[in-house]
Amino acid sequence: MWRHNSSSAKNLSSRPPHARPSEQVGYERDRDQAEPRPPCPHYPACHGCPFLQFPYREQLAKKQEIVARALHEYSSLTPVEVPLPVPSARQFGYRARTKLAVRKVKEKILIGLYIPESHEVVDISACPVHPQPVNQIIQFLKEAIERF
């Protein structure tokens, strides 16, 4: 179970999209509970899904809060009430478009996302939000590049 750390009230995630995995802020794990394990082999190294460690409804609420805070930066938009995002019928396999970086590190081909504020690549060759054909193409490209 994750609970809010009151010393960082503005933080909505235990790992904001711009932070490295070691920079845990805003939420902390209750000592008596096992750490939640999101359904992704790339978590927590990948920053593509910053709220993945939270239940889906909580993810939607966090996204709602981000939009509300962004709108409230403008006085003319302060009265706008931001509704909860519409839940998707599919939480996985939905991402139809992706832009990935390619790097070779110590004879290993990495295809994935940049770690924010760096040129380091996190390999996401089995990303659960990509449709299976995208993951298959990524795997094919990795093998083809290795042979080259």
Side-chain angles (χ1 to χ4, degrees), residues 84-120:
L84 195 64
V86 176
S88 173
R90 296 185 326 184
Q91 293 178 37
F92 301 101
Y94 64 86
R95 189 166 287 157
R97 192 176 101 184
T98 186
K99 180 180 178 180
L100 301 172
V102 179
R103 285 280 189 265
K104 186 173 185 179
V105 178
K106 297 181 182 175
E107 303 304 315
K108 184 176 179 183
I109 302 299
L110 304 175
I111 299 181
L113 301 176
Y114 284 118
I115 293 174
E117 299 180 27
S118 82
H119 285 158
E120 295 176 55

Side-chain angles (χ1 to χ4, degrees), residues 12-93:
L12 294 176
S13 168
S14 67
R15 183 175 50 94
H18 63 276
R20 292 179 183 270
S22 61
E23 298 171 330
Q24 300 291 323
V25 293
Y27 285 81
E28 54 194 12
R29 182 173 54 87
D30 284 340
R31 302 284 182 239
D32 58 343
Q33 301 234 347
E35 183 150 350
R37 183 76 184 147
C40 178
H42 309 296
Y43 178 84
C46 176
H47 291 262
C49 303
F51 301 129
L52 192 60
Q53 73 271 28
F54 299 106
Y56 187 58
R57 292 284 176 196
E58 196 173 336
Q59 292 177 32
L60 296 176
K62 289 177 183 307
K63 292 174 183 180
Q64 175 190 32
E65 178 62 25
I66 288 170
V67 172
R69 279 195 303 183
L71 292 178
H72 288 126
E73 292 290 318
Y74 302 92
S75 58
S76 63
L77 298 176
T78 299
V80 174
E81 188 172 322
V82 178
L84 195 64
V86 176
S88 173
R90 296 185 326 184
Q91 293 178 37
F92 301 101

